[in-house]
Amino acid sequence: MSTLFTKIINREIPANIVYETEKVIAFKDINPVAPIHILVVPKKEIPTLNDIKDEDAEYIMEMYKAIRVITKDLKIAEDGYRVITNCNTNGGQEVYHLHFHILGGEKIGLMRIKK
């Protein structure tokens, strides 16, 4: 069964695409938590960080290249941004297709407040 992101890659559902190569696609998150909230997704279905294999190295490097290009294009590279990936249930993963969130456009708060 295809993930939501595979359907975006295959153009079965629309997305506001900001970057694309043979191995990676990046688009605006439909529920942004920051002024700039972009998802960077490999075009290969890799369910979680735990599922990355040695042969996936090209996809991972291409994702980091995308982050570098996108943050420069959106003029947030110098001021700063946050890159997050969630892994499995306790990590908050909702779509089981590896992806990085780029958050920027404002000062991003603490990662977690201690209780």
Side-chain angles (χ1 to χ4, degrees):
M1 184 169 154
S2 292
T3 69
L4 173 70
F5 295 159
T6 300
K7 291 177 181 177
I8 289 172
I9 292 164
N10 293 335
R11 304 303 199 269
E12 296 170 26
I13 57 176
N16 190 338
I17 298 168
V18 298
Y19 181 89
E20 185 171 16
T21 67
E22 181 181 314
K23 296 190 180 321
V24 171
I25 191 166
F27 47 90
K28 292 183 179 180
D29 193 296
I30 59 169
N31 295 308
V33 298
I36 295 173
H37 188 166
I38 306 293
L39 301 178
V40 180
V41 180
K43 289 187 175 179
K44 177 180 179 182
E45 283 189 23
I46 303 169
T48 74
L49 276 174
N50 297 335
D51 299 300
I52 295 172
K53 300 193 178 352
D54 291 346
E55 59 265 23
D56 297 328
E58 288 182 57
Y59 289 91
I60 305 309
M61 287 305 299
E62 192 73 18
M63 291 173 77
Y64 279 107
K65 177 184 174 189
I67 292 166
R68 186 186 73 227
V69 170
I70 292 164
T71 57
K72 284 183 182 179
D73 287 350
L74 295 176
K75 300 182 181 1
I76 62 171
E78 294 301 317
D79 287 339
Y81 56 93
R82 181 171 291 160
V83 176
I84 299 172
T85 190
N86 304 316
C87 186
N88 287 323
T89 304
N90 283 354
Q93 187 170 4
E94 294 178 10
V95 178
Y96 282 80
H97 186 141
L98 180 67
H99 57 287
F100 293 151
H101 297 257
I102 302 172
L103 304 176
E106 67 183 9
K107 185 169 175 70
I108 306 296
L110 298 173
M111 289 290 292
R112 183 174 179 177
I113 298 170
K114 292 183 180 183
K115 295 179 181 180

